[in-house]
Amino acid sequence: MNIILLGPPGAGKGTQAKELEKKHGLLQLSTGDMLREAIISGSKLGEEVKTIMESGALVPDDIMIRMISNRIEQPDSKNGFILDGFPRTTAQARELDVMLERKGMKIDFVIELAVQYDVLTQRISGRYNCTNCGAGYHDEFQKPFKEGICDQCAGDQFSRRSDDKPETVKARLSAYEEQTAPLLPYYRKMNSLSSVNAMAEISEVTLEIESVICVP
Ligand code: AP5
């Protein structure tokens, strides 16, 4: 089973992708995480994309298409994947269709995490991750069981993303509105779009996604 999660920054794509990964043995393919890893590794790609990401703009389509095309060739993608953050433009969506067809693969579900913009800044500003294993938390909505200790790996170091500053979040939301939101009618037209209420609590959103993907 291959799934696309669509939604603005902070809608909960990463949070829900991790749930799907745990429950269904699918692989989360987060283009944002891949780009952040490239920056940390100091690679040429990382250098190329750092300033773009810090401005809140989108990385050029050709880079992203190459990245995903290479990634889904890997053996661990064969059991199914969740695209978290890709496609983000109509050009990426069209190219994804072509590359999947060429590889004899397809997307089974495109799920929109529908959310009102006024909650996004609060979600993003409270977000932090375990530095060791990457597990995601929130100051208010998703605290670790024991304060200051990661539930997954017992690590005690956490970090916040450099593009989660309010001014960058504004630019990321504009990029979503202008370049990514047009994908909703694109997938609706293809009859492959389902929408879930991402204003609900995290566990309720998970249940709603389950009801979409479990219906034959
Ligand atoms: P990326 O890393 O993909 O960021 P994003 O799309 O902006 O999404 P986020 O990771 O901010 O949010 P999310 O929806 O995953 O929310 P989360 O689950 O963390 O991209 C970063 C940058 O990389 C882009 O700006 C661009 O430059 C570049 N890039 C990446 N892909 C690209 C592409 N394909 N093309 C071009 N450029 C690309 O949740 C947020 C917080 O809210 C968490 O703390 C969570 O605990 C909490 N939360 C989640 N759900 C709920 C809920 N239901 N109720 C309450 N709290 C909740």
Side-chain angles (χ1 to χ4, degrees):
M1 173 164 57
N2 300 320
I3 299 172
I4 294 174
L5 292 182
L6 269 181
K13 302 181 295 293
T15 305
Q16 297 301 333
K18 287 201 166 60
E19 289 299 317
L20 288 165
E21 203 174 42
K22 267 189 263 167
K23 281 197 186 142
H24 298 280
L26 301 172
L27 183 70
Q28 177 192 13
L29 296 180
S30 158
T31 41
D33 286 349
M34 291 177 207
L35 293 166
R36 282 183 285 277
E37 278 160 24
I39 294 174
I40 291 167
S41 75
S43 67
K44 191 166 162 278
L45 169 68
E47 277 171 30
E48 233 174 301
V49 301
K50 190 170 187 289
T51 327
I52 303 174
M53 287 176 77
E54 280 173 358
S55 74
L58 295 186
V59 171
D61 286 335
D62 57 330
I63 296 181
M64 300 314 303
I65 289 162
R66 220 177 315 129
M67 181 180 270
I68 280 295
S69 177
N70 291 337
R71 191 60 191 84
I72 60 180
E73 297 255 304
Q74 306 300 315
D76 58 353
S77 296
K78 296 284 180 270
N79 295 333
F81 53 78
I82 310 133
L83 289 175
D84 158 12
F86 186 96
R88 244 174 161 106
T89 63
T90 310
Q92 292 180 17
R94 290 213 177 99
E95 204 48 51
L96 177 67
D97 292 341
V98 173
M99 82 174 80
L100 290 177
E101 196 178 342
R102 212 168 30 222
K103 295 177 203 294
M105 299 162 90
K106 68 176 176 67
I107 295 294
D108 300 288
F109 301 98
V110 183
I111 302 175
E112 175 198 10
L113 299 181
V115 70
Q116 285 161 16
Y117 280 22
D118 53 0
V119 301
L120 298 177
T121 313
Q122 189 191 13
R123 285 192 188 178
I124 291 172
S125 61
R127 166 172 58 189
Y128 61 97
N129 291 84
C130 170
T131 316
N132 181 44
C133 72
Y137 297 99
H138 192 280
D139 292 327
E140 210 178 319
F141 308 126
Q142 200 181 12
K143 297 179 183 175
F145 291 119
K146 195 165 171 215
E147 203 187 322
I149 303 291
C150 175
D151 298 343
Q152 314 281 331
C153 74
D156 60 1
Q157 300 295 312
F158 299 88
S159 60
R160 293 182 192 257
R161 273 168 49 178
S162 61
D163 64 344
D164 279 352
K165 297 186 209 91
E167 60 278 17
T168 319
V169 170
K170 224 169 147 198
R172 286 163 57 198
L173 284 172
S174 301
Y176 176 80
E177 272 284 282
E178 284 158 26
Q179 292 166 275
T180 310
L183 293 184
L184 298 172
Y186 176 87
Y187 285 116
R188 200 171 287 126
K189 235 176 173 171
M190 292 162 77
N191 281 330
S192 48
L193 184 73
S194 303
S195 189
V196 302
N197 172 21
M199 295 294 287
E201 281 185 18
I202 294 174
S203 56
E204 288 174 33
V205 181
T206 308
L207 284 178
E208 218 185 307
I209 292 176
E210 286 295 315
S211 72
V212 170
I213 65 176
C214 292
V215 171

